[in-house]
């Protein structure tokens, strides 16, 4: 009985750890370091929390990955601020829980400094 309870406890802990990492994973291919990242449902301006605050360094370098927190599958507009001060939007990007998505320079529109 104790073995069964121990095994169940380990499965619950493993499931909790896995679910924290099941958010969409951003791969930065913009060529710039991203210091702020906000998401809104595609076509809206209801920006969520800064996802870069979930990164250990608070920024995402070129070719680095970051798991998003509290983000469900769907289509999103993504507002990115670069280390150099430029802010751009990537529109209508599909995100899937547990899957990687890429943002490239060619995805960025509406850029301003």
């Amino acid at each position: 009985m104790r073995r069964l309870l121990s095994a169940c406890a380990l499965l619950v802990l493993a499931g909790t750890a896995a679910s924290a990492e099941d958010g969409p994973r951003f791969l930065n291919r913009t060529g710039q370091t991203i210091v702020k990242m906000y998401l809104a449902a595609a076509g809206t301006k209801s920006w969520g929390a800064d996802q870069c605050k979930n990164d250990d360094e608070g920024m995402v370098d070129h070719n680095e990955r970051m798991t998003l927190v509290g983000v469900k599958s769907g289509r999103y507009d993504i507002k990115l601020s670069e280390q150099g001060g430029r802010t751009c939007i990537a529109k209508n990007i599909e995100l899937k829980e547990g899957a990687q998505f890429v943002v490239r320079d060619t995805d960025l529109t509406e850029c301003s400094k």
Side-chain angles (χ1 to χ4, degrees):
M1 184 61 142
R2 285 186 183 182
R3 285 185 191 174
L4 179 60
L5 289 174
S6 295
C8 287
L10 286 174
L11 287 173
V12 168
L13 289 174
T16 302
S19 66
E21 306 236 347
D22 282 348
R25 291 182 307 278
F26 165 59
L27 174 59
N28 179 11
R29 288 286 173 91
T30 66
Q32 302 295 319
T33 297
I34 304 302
V35 295
K36 294 191 183 292
M37 176 188 220
Y38 305 96
L39 283 79
T44 73
K45 298 289 183 188
S46 299
W47 302 111
D50 179 7
Q51 289 289 324
C52 285
K53 290 184 177 181
N54 300 315
D55 185 77
D56 292 342
E57 299 172 330
M59 63 181 85
V60 186
D61 294 322
H62 167 71
N63 215 28
E64 184 181 4
R65 291 172 180 80
M66 174 180 68
T67 299
L68 305 184
V69 176
V71 177
K72 302 291 183 192
S73 297
R75 293 206 162 266
Y76 292 86
D77 292 343
I78 303 171
K79 181 166 47 170
L80 303 171
S81 294
E82 300 170 350
Q83 195 169 37
R86 186 173 81 146
T87 298
C88 298
I89 295 176
K91 292 189 173 186
N92 202 28
I93 305 294
E94 183 174 9
L95 279 60
K96 292 183 180 177
E97 292 174 65
Q100 178 174 282
F101 71 98
V102 178
V103 176
R104 296 176 176 82
D105 283 325
T106 55
D107 298 316
L108 303 179
T109 62
E110 299 178 28
C111 295
S112 62
K113 193 155 186 175

